[in-house]
Amino acid sequence: MITFWTATLALTLALYVILDGLDLGVGILFGTTRNLEIKRQMLNSITPVWDGNETWLVLTAAILFGAFPVVYSLVLSAFYLPIIILLAALIFRGVAFEFRGKSKRLRWFWDEGFSYGSLIASFVQGAAVGAIIEGIPNVEGRFTGTAFGWLTPFSMLCGIGLCLGYSLLGAARPASPSWRQRTSRRSWNGRAGPPSP
Amino acid sequence: MSLSSQEVGLKSFPQDQRPPVLIPFFAFRIMVGCGLLMLVLAWYGTWLGLKGRLRQVRWMSWCVFLSFPLGFIATLTGWFTAEVGRQPWAVYGILRTADALTPSLTLHQVAISFLIFAVIYSVIAIAGIVYVYQILQAGPDDDLVQLDKQHPVLSGASQGAAQSPAETSR
């Protein structure tokens, strides 16, 4: 049973990193251009898939909660503040998809929220992994560290590393006009699958 | 089960196991009220539509226009009902909310995280309401205009269509 849940956890985590890493990477790169047309193409290339990709994080947390409650309680206690920051970043990132098209004067605000939200979410995820590698101080599964114990030079390096890794994934996302057309909501529903070259 | 069986109520539980009553009491009634209002609007609107008068009854259009927050209000008050109503338990019968506090958590951390979420949700809620309002003000888009042509009865446009021959004959 433990093997099964460990394997499932590994699978969901890997899927999350690969799939939502791509979205977050596109989000990070989104902030590097001022060209509105390119921004639109970048956003459109992930609009049909980003929320599905992000759901793997929910499944990962649910497996931790149900199958590994001690780890869940330890991780949530140790990473209380970073998880709050992560959620805040993901909220701003998510609403940008819905709001930026409806807004005229405030579009810059949602755009900044999208790119900084992606950047901060990526950094926090990487930093958390770094802190876990370094070890979480605990006594019999009860967290004994401090609120900012997760923020060390090594964990920050891991955070920066994950931002770069996600950016690389995002940069690999094809965003040519033909791809853009095929990934628009309408055609995505009509026929799934990658476009012919 | 019998006609004289007693309903299990608040007083069946000891004082220290009762939730605060005021919030769930009103939240639940507001939620149900919103639901009933939406049902009335939907049924009356359907009835008007079948009679082909949906576009003519202006106060009805205003009611529908102003009713857009009802669903959100119902969701939130329903949430209040569930979350306040389950107190003082985090896990019913096993873990009280007071005992469920993470030992390492400080008041500062909780206050800061609460503040962060309050600010974010306020900003997004205000922006969302403004955008919904703008969409409503802009009026129906082309899809609905198309619907008028395909289903004139449902959309209430048949009245106009039925009138036009009479008007031309006059």
Side-chain angles (χ1 to χ4, degrees):
Chain A
M1 206 56 173
I2 288 183
T3 315
F4 170 76
W5 283 117
T6 310
T8 316
L9 185 66
L11 180 72
T12 54
L13 199 57
L15 279 171
Y16 175 77
V17 169
I18 294 167
L19 292 173
D20 203 40
L22 187 148
D23 297 348
L24 288 165
V26 170
I28 294 170
L29 298 173
F30 186 85
T32 61
T33 175
R34 285 169 189 277
N35 186 322
L36 281 178
E37 175 58 23
I38 293 177
K39 271 184 189 290
R40 202 174 62 82
Q41 284 187 24
M42 293 173 94
L43 203 73
N44 283 358
S45 74
I46 56 171
T47 296
V49 291
W50 76 273
D51 41 3
N53 293 347
E54 210 165 276
T55 310
W56 291 105
L57 187 64
V58 180
L59 200 57
T60 306
I63 291 173
L64 272 186
F65 175 76
F68 305 101
V70 176
V71 179
Y72 182 83
S73 97
L74 186 61
V75 166
L76 255 76
S77 303
F79 299 120
Y80 183 79
L81 287 182
I83 287 175
I84 298 289
I85 297 169
L86 172 70
L87 290 176
L90 289 181
I91 290 172
F92 267 109
R93 201 183 116 68
V95 292
F97 286 94
E98 308 296 333
F99 280 2
R100 84 180 287 275
K102 311 242 180 325
S103 159
K104 290 172 195 86
R105 273 171 302 166
L106 276 179
R107 190 173 61 198
W108 65 270
F109 177 76
W110 304 119
D111 281 1
E112 297 289 305
F114 182 59
S115 54
Y116 279 105
S118 306
L119 186 67
I120 292 168
S122 307
F123 176 79
V124 168
Q125 287 174 12
V129 170
I132 289 175
I133 292 171
E134 285 191 303
I136 301 171
N138 73 92
V139 176
E140 291 174 354
R142 278 181 178 248
F143 179 60
T144 52
T146 55
F148 288 97
W150 57 280
L151 207 59
T152 65
F154 176 72
S155 73
M156 285 170 77
L157 186 69
C158 289
I160 295 168
L162 193 68
C163 288
L164 294 174
Y166 280 175
S167 302
L168 184 64
L169 271 175
R173 176 72 162 173
S176 68
S178 66
W179 172 266
R180 191 189 73 223
Q181 265 179 358
R182 281 164 185 272
T183 47
S184 76
R185 240 171 226 286
R186 206 160 293 166
S187 63
W188 189 269
N189 293 337
R191 51 195 139 89
S196 49
Chain B
M1 259 240 256
S2 74
L3 284 176
S4 59
S5 72
Q6 207 174 0
E7 179 73 21
V8 180
L10 203 61
K11 285 180 179 159
S12 315
F13 295 89
Q15 194 97 46
D16 70 329
Q17 290 184 19
R18 295 180 195 165
V21 176
L22 207 62
I23 296 175
F25 180 89
F26 284 108
F28 179 72
R29 278 155 181 79
I30 293 170
M31 175 189 77
V32 174
C34 287
L36 291 177
L37 269 177
M38 286 189 281
L39 265 185
V40 167
L41 280 174
W43 285 345
Y44 189 62
T46 308
W47 188 69
L48 281 181
L50 287 174
K51 290 189 69 179
R53 291 178 54 219
L54 192 54
R55 292 291 170 84
Q56 280 75 42
V57 185
R58 261 197 82 70
W59 64 266
M60 181 63 183
S61 304
W62 273 105
C63 284
V64 174
F65 177 77
L66 293 172
S67 72
F68 79 87
L70 283 182
F72 298 105
I73 295 172
T75 307
L76 285 175
T77 47
W79 199 5
F80 294 161
T81 309
E83 293 298 321
V84 180
R86 75 178 163 86
Q87 302 301 331
W89 298 106
V91 182
Y92 183 70
I94 296 174
L95 182 68
R96 293 178 76 95
T97 309
D99 303 323
L101 178 69
T102 304
S104 60
L105 213 55
T106 63
L107 178 65
H108 266 116
Q109 293 176 33
V110 178
I112 289 170
S113 57
F114 177 73
L115 196 72
I116 290 175
F117 278 121
V119 169
I120 290 178
Y121 273 100
S122 305
V123 168
I124 289 172
I126 291 169
I129 289 170
V130 169
Y131 294 147
V132 170
Y133 182 78
Q134 283 175 354
I135 291 172
L136 289 173
Q137 274 226 313
D141 58 4
D142 293 344
D143 290 359
L144 271 179
V145 177
Q146 285 302 312
L147 191 75
D148 265 8
K149 288 172 187 158
Q150 287 160 11
H151 307 281
V153 175
L154 264 185
S155 62
S158 65
Q159 181 84 355
Q163 267 177 352
S164 50
E167 275 171 355
T168 44
S169 70
R170 237 188 297 158

